[in-house]
Amino acid sequence: MKFLAIIVTYNPDVERLTDNIKAIACQTDGVLIVDNGSKNTEFLDRFSFVYNTVVIKNNSNKGIAYALNTGMKYAYENGFEWAITLDEDSVCPDGIISNARELLEKGYMEYDSSCKGNNIAMIVPLIKETASGELCELGTKVNGTAYQEVNKCITSAAITNVVVWKKLHGFDNKLFIDYVDYDYALRCILGGYRIIRMNEVILDHRIGKSEYKKFLWTKIRVANHSPQRKYYIARNIVIYIRRYAKNINVFAEFLRLLKVLILIVLYEDDKRDKLGACFKGIRDGINCRL
């Protein structure tokens, strides 16, 4: 089995990106950087020499979905069977690929004999949010086993079956950024494929410029996204609801959208611009403007 690492960059922290590449290059059979229109791309040429990476430069930021599809197309055309997709600042733990390889060869059959390598769409680590130290279980509580089937994941450090990606026609370019991962994960499941989480492999994951604020008796994460990002969050939540209303917890998604609006009002700067972007996103989502 051949594994490719796909790293999507956009004006990255070069030091953090260097750590990212160091951590994954020794675990995979190749590293591909897909740059989404960074202002300064000189650092990319340095990586291609020092770490023997392949670099694809997009002229502009066409979104995370487009960049991921570019990387997956490269994997498909160059004979890679699995690709681990990474944010520029996601530094993988040792053993993430070897654990996945062992899972594919023998591991999960001990838990479910009907689960074979060819019906696994993605193998993902357990995510821990760096700032808070909290596990991001995404609706599926850790059950104490080494491997566990889940129905939702993020793309960062997801080890994706290249053939399944091809069959499902890839990630949705029109979503641009937010919910690209949730949309693809649900299409995998609806297509009869499985997503397996490695509960003993933990990825420390930074979530943008998040900070924690005190809310009543608890702490709550405030994302501090730009107005443009708020637009995509609001629009894509509405589109996700419209697409999959029969397959998801619609109420939970509405609550997530409401939470975004409330946190802007209570804690974030540029309230007017961000709220305006959210309401425009909601309107475009209702009208299916992609």
Side-chain angles (χ1 to χ4, degrees):
M1 285 180 285
K2 290 179 64 180
F3 290 78
L4 175 70
I6 301 170
I7 304 172
V8 178
T9 58
Y10 178 68
N11 298 325
D13 177 329
V14 177
E15 183 177 347
R16 180 74 172 178
L17 176 60
T18 302
D19 292 339
N20 182 347
I21 296 172
K22 284 181 179 178
I24 199 61
C26 60
Q27 300 189 55
T28 57
D29 302 293
V31 177
L32 171 69
I33 297 176
V34 182
D35 185 73
N36 244 348
S38 294
K39 294 177 181 178
N40 177 8
T41 60
E42 292 179 3
F43 68 91
L44 294 174
D45 299 323
R46 185 180 71 202
F47 285 130
S48 65
F49 286 109
V50 177
Y51 298 104
N52 196 30
T53 62
V54 175
V55 178
I56 297 175
K57 297 179 183 179
N58 293 329
N59 293 327
S60 61
N61 184 0
K62 298 180 180 180
I64 188 68
Y66 183 90
L68 290 172
N69 282 330
T70 299
M72 293 298 292
K73 181 182 178 184
Y74 176 92
Y76 182 79
E77 292 176 347
N78 288 275
F80 291 94
E81 296 149 282
W82 295 86
I84 180 168
T85 55
L86 294 165
D87 294 344
E88 59 199 28
D89 59 356
S90 296
V91 178
C92 286
D94 293 339
I96 188 170
I97 298 298
S98 61
N99 196 296
R101 190 186 297 274
E102 183 178 356
L103 161 64
L104 289 168
E105 290 174 349
K106 60 179 181 180
Y108 199 72
M109 267 71 84
E110 298 177 8
Y111 301 90
D112 186 345
S113 60
S114 68
C115 193
K116 311 294 184 183
N118 60 0
N119 71 4
I120 297 177
M122 286 188 283
I123 303 168
V124 301
L126 186 60
I127 304 296
K128 183 173 72 173
E129 209 279 296
T130 303
S132 67
E134 296 177 352
L135 295 177
C136 301
E137 297 168 300
L138 299 178
T140 305
K141 295 289 185 183
V142 176
N143 64 4
T145 62
Y147 305 117
Q148 183 177 2
E149 192 167 349
V150 298
N151 56 21
K152 184 179 283 188
C153 66
I154 63 174
T155 51
S156 189
I159 302 169
T160 301
N161 186 319
V162 176
V163 171
V164 171
W165 166 86
K166 182 69 173 177
K167 288 181 178 178
L168 295 178
H169 307 291
F171 300 95
D172 186 348
N173 290 338
K174 294 180 180 179
L175 292 179
F176 196 80
I177 183 165
D178 289 281
Y179 273 70
V180 167
D181 41 15
Y182 293 172
D183 175 85
Y184 182 75
L186 187 51
R187 282 193 285 122
C188 287
I189 291 168
L190 294 177
Y193 298 100
R194 293 178 169 185
I195 302 169
I196 308 299
R197 186 172 68 199
M198 303 178 287
N199 288 332
E200 295 175 354
V201 178
I202 299 176
L203 176 77
D204 277 319
H205 181 66
R206 293 180 180 177
I207 304 178
K209 298 179 181 179
S210 298
E211 58 182 346
Y212 282 80
K213 302 287 188 179
K214 188 174 182 180
F215 182 77
L216 299 177
W217 56 86
T218 188
K219 291 191 301 182
I220 192 165
R221 183 173 63 84
V222 180
N224 294 310
H225 289 130
S226 67
Q228 183 186 32
R229 183 70 182 275
K230 297 294 188 188
Y231 166 82
Y232 285 115
I233 292 171
R235 188 197 69 169
N236 292 355
I237 288 175
V238 175
I239 290 170
Y240 186 72
I241 291 171
R242 294 196 63 181
R243 283 182 178 176
Y244 305 114
K246 295 180 180 180
N247 309 105
I248 62 172
N249 185 335
V250 172
F251 181 68
E253 295 301 330
F254 275 124
L255 283 182
R256 184 173 188 225
L257 180 55
L258 180 61
K259 180 181 176 182
V260 170
L261 297 172
I262 291 173
L263 291 181
I264 291 172
V265 172
L266 291 180
Y267 298 113
E268 297 197 25
D269 297 328
D270 302 322
K271 299 181 192 300
R272 178 176 295 181
D273 289 344
K274 291 180 181 180
L275 288 173
C278 283
F279 289 125
K280 184 177 186 297
I282 292 169
R283 182 189 67 201
D284 287 353
I286 292 172
N287 295 325
C288 283
R289 292 178 183 168
L290 290 169

